[in-house]
Amino acid sequence: MWQAFRNGSTYDLRTRNPVLDDPMSTRPWAPERTVRARVVALLLLSGPPALAGRVAALKLNGVQITGTLKLAGGRVEPYVELNNCRFEKEVLLPECRFVTLRMVGCAIPRLEAARLQTEGDLHLPRCQVPGGIRLTDAQIGTDLLINQIVVHQDRIGRSIAADGLSVAQDLQAEMIESHGEFSMRGATVGVSLSLRGSRLRGPYGVEGRRALNAPQLTVGRTLYLTPAGISPRGLGPGATPPYGIGNTPVRGTRVQRFECDGGIRLDDGRFGDAVDLGSARFMMSLGQEVSLRRIQTPELRFLGERPEQGKFVLSGAKVGNLVDKADSWPGPGGLTMDGFGYEKLVPRGPFPLSRRLAWVTAATPEYAPEPYERLATVLRGSGEDADAREVLLAKHRRRRETLPLAGKLWGVIQDWTVAYGYRPGRAAVWMTVLWAAGAVAFSRLDPAAIKPEEHPKWNASLFALDLLLPVINLGQDGYWRLESAWQWAAAALILLGWVLATTVAAGASRLLRRG
């Protein structure tokens, strides 16, 4: 191993028998495959110089490392790549500095790497870590790749503790199995964060923990909670990054969706391009939620499966395009979106207005005007004025349910007659009906003039129209003496005329503004 380190070659102790070489099995390895952790630390921190024309590097394959590997606070200059290795005890790397560190397909009881720094990549694909990983405040110079890792919770319920983590480029966590809370509070990812095809399970027996806890997460481009395709040809020991996972499925590829058993918290997150929930499956119990409070992103792709329980919270979130499907949103009681702002709706598949109104209703178990007004504004901005009026009409009808009996009765009258002013054509019809009824009624009247010497010729139709039309004077009103019931009839026409004419004028003004 010492000589392999000096010339940068791989120290390979595999038997070439897949069963005997599996680091995850409980089968013991032969003593000749064992290296002490103290020797590994000596090579990395104070190793011999490279041979002439060579670059020193620690490359191990199929090696069992006994004891605890302690590199805390050290600076490791050589390139490190450990493949299919088995660690007897935990690996301690807090405040350690590496150029590049790759551990692929290794069995690690626990990885402690708080405030770890790398100039290049940190790769941990296909590793199994039963005691959890700690990457708190770690700084990764380029990419962090943990595809297909299997990690279990530590004593406080966290599988991966990465609060304050900083990754300069991509964080790939595709097809991982996390049994415990994956915590990334205040983390920063320079490009994209991919959890394609991963399965996150909340911690067992620990209250207040979530499957993914990442408030104030900043991602330069896109957060992917979407399916991943795995090619059978890409899962062998010789697979290269991205270790069998690709974005373009080929024939024979198995597709696995993102699954989350437990709550998710992404509050106050910032995402430069999008948050993609395509085909995601969320399994929550009562009281758990997928919280997207106050996130900001140009696009939210809400295209996952409808959850049976739990709640989605979008309160205060601000997005540009809302890409969604009618079947993705939860039912009544499963959605909260007070203060949720979006600029454009981009539905995938049929999403009729009736379903969109049901979407708003599901988010407002108690009446709130803001979701209706936001939807109407977005529809009007897309040129769908008729749908926008229907939304505002639905808002008034929903508000009517909260009013006392007198308010409800008045609301029913407004709705039945003029649809709260959002269907001005109906008001014009009612004016026509009232005019006709008034003309017929007043045709039976032969009123006396107030001033016998100053009055026009009696015309029942013009008199009824003059009463109905406010402001306009047709030369009939004010010249005739009406008594008893006729006075009440005239007063009713005047009042109804004001209400209906105002409604017609409002509708006409909206038409002119739209034009």
Side-chain angles (χ1 to χ4, degrees):
M1 185 175 70
W2 201 271
Q3 190 66 19
F5 175 84
R6 295 190 66 192
N7 63 28
S9 60
T10 300
Y11 186 58
D12 194 341
L13 297 181
R14 290 177 297 169
T15 65
R16 301 302 189 272
N17 184 328
V19 176
L20 298 178
D21 289 337
D22 184 6
M24 315 306 172
S25 72
T26 57
R27 186 187 300 271
W29 283 2
E32 57 269 18
R33 299 181 62 179
T34 299
V35 173
R36 288 178 297 165
R38 184 177 179 182
V39 175
V40 174
L42 181 62
L43 279 175
L44 293 177
L45 298 177
S46 305
L51 296 177
R54 299 286 185 174
V55 177
L58 182 64
K59 299 180 182 179
L60 305 180
N61 202 334
V63 175
Q64 178 170 272
I65 301 173
T66 59
T68 301
L69 179 58
K70 300 178 181 180
L71 299 173
R75 182 180 182 89
V76 178
E77 297 289 349
Y79 172 85
V80 182
E81 181 173 325
L82 310 179
N83 291 283
N84 309 302
C85 292
R86 177 186 289 179
F87 289 84
E88 182 186 50
K89 296 184 179 180
E90 62 184 355
V91 177
L92 303 180
L93 308 177
E95 300 187 21
C96 188
R97 301 187 67 179
F98 284 85
V99 177
T100 295
L101 173 60
R102 290 189 172 95
M103 292 191 286
V104 181
C106 296
I108 309 170
R110 176 170 172 78
L111 177 60
E112 281 278 357
R115 297 174 297 282
L116 171 75
Q117 296 183 35
T118 69
E119 296 178 14
D121 296 343
L122 172 60
H123 288 191
L124 301 169
R126 297 201 304 275
C127 290
Q128 289 193 11
V129 191
I133 297 173
R134 188 181 180 200
L135 288 169
T136 306
D137 296 318
Q139 298 181 25
I140 310 303
T142 50
D143 297 329
L144 172 59
L145 190 146
I146 57 174
N147 293 343
Q148 295 176 268
I149 197 171
V150 179
V151 57
H152 292 262
Q153 68 187 51
D154 59 15
R155 62 182 182 276
I156 61 173
R158 289 180 177 172
S159 58
I160 302 176
D163 299 340
L165 171 70
S166 177
V167 181
Q169 296 184 21
D170 291 320
L171 197 168
Q172 291 188 26
E174 302 182 353
M175 295 294 297
I176 73 170
E177 290 186 22
S178 170
H179 301 270
E181 183 179 83
F182 188 170
S183 181
M184 293 184 65
R185 295 179 298 176
T188 301
V189 180
V191 185
S192 294
L193 169 54
S194 177
L195 286 160
R196 293 184 178 97
S198 292
R199 293 175 175 174
L200 308 184
R201 304 286 184 268
Y204 305 106
V206 182
E207 295 294 332
R209 296 293 189 190
R210 302 169 176 84
L212 176 61
N213 186 24
Q216 299 180 341
L217 173 65
T218 301
V219 179
R221 297 189 64 182
T222 302
L223 169 63
Y224 293 100
L225 306 180
T226 56
I230 307 177
S231 172
R233 298 186 299 273
L235 297 178
T240 56
Y243 302 98
I245 298 176
N247 299 330
T248 306
V250 297
R251 186 174 182 179
T253 296
R254 179 171 64 89
V255 176
Q256 179 171 301
R257 72 180 68 210
F258 171 85
E259 292 184 357
C260 180
D261 186 353
I264 288 181
R265 183 185 178 202
L266 295 172
D267 298 350
D268 301 295
R270 301 292 183 269
F271 307 91
D273 283 353
V275 175
D276 194 342
L277 307 181
S279 301
R281 177 182 294 166
F282 298 95
M283 296 160 285
M284 295 176 283
S285 60
L286 293 175
Q288 292 182 328
E289 61 185 28
V290 175
S291 179
L292 305 176
R293 292 176 173 90
R294 299 176 299 278
I295 69 165
Q296 295 185 20
T297 180
E299 185 165 284
L300 173 60
R301 302 167 191 159
F302 201 93
L303 303 169
E305 281 191 3
R306 181 198 300 259
E308 296 181 1
Q309 294 184 10
K311 181 181 290 187
F312 278 86
V313 183
L314 288 163
S315 302
K318 304 298 180 185
V319 306
N321 297 333
L322 177 58
V323 184
D324 61 351
K325 295 191 302 184
D327 295 335
S328 294
W329 294 103
L335 178 63
T336 301
M337 57 180 191
D338 49 295
F340 175 41
Y342 50 95
E343 298 175 3
K344 187 177 180 181
L345 292 171
V346 186
R348 294 279 181 87
F351 208 141
L353 183 62
S354 58
R355 297 289 298 273
R356 188 64 76 180
L357 288 173
W359 169 64
V360 175
T361 303
T364 52
E366 296 182 0
Y367 168 72
E370 195 275 335
Y372 291 93
E373 293 169 357
R374 167 62 60 178
L375 178 57
T377 300
V378 171
L379 291 173
R380 189 178 297 113
S382 301
E384 302 175 27
D385 288 344
D387 287 349
R389 290 196 297 273
E390 289 294 329
V391 171
L392 295 175
L393 179 56
K395 180 190 78 169
H396 285 284
R397 288 171 175 167
R398 184 80 185 280
R399 177 179 178 273
R400 188 172 70 207
E401 299 173 1
T402 66
L403 299 177
L405 181 60
K408 289 180 180 179
L409 292 176
W410 175 240
V412 169
I413 294 173
Q414 284 184 297
D415 192 1
W416 189 60
T417 55
V418 295
Y420 289 97
Y422 291 106
R423 293 176 183 168
R426 186 183 294 182
V429 171
W430 277 109
M431 288 193 70
T432 303
V433 171
L434 289 173
W435 176 38
V440 171
F442 286 121
S443 66
R444 302 178 181 180
L445 178 65
D446 187 11
I450 296 175
K451 296 180 180 180
E453 66 281 359
E454 297 180 9
H455 64 84
K457 184 178 179 180
W458 168 252
N459 187 313
S461 297
L462 284 179
F463 182 72
L465 189 60
D466 206 355
L467 293 175
L468 274 173
L469 295 178
V471 181
I472 301 175
N473 187 354
L474 299 179
Q476 287 288 326
D477 186 21
Y479 291 96
W480 311 102
R481 181 179 293 111
L482 302 180
E483 298 178 351
S484 63
W486 294 109
Q487 286 182 318
W488 289 105
L493 280 179
I494 293 172
L495 291 175
L496 291 172
W498 272 102
V499 173
L500 295 174
T502 303
T503 302
V504 173
S509 66
R510 279 195 293 268
L511 289 172
L512 290 174
R513 285 198 303 269
R514 186 164 66 250

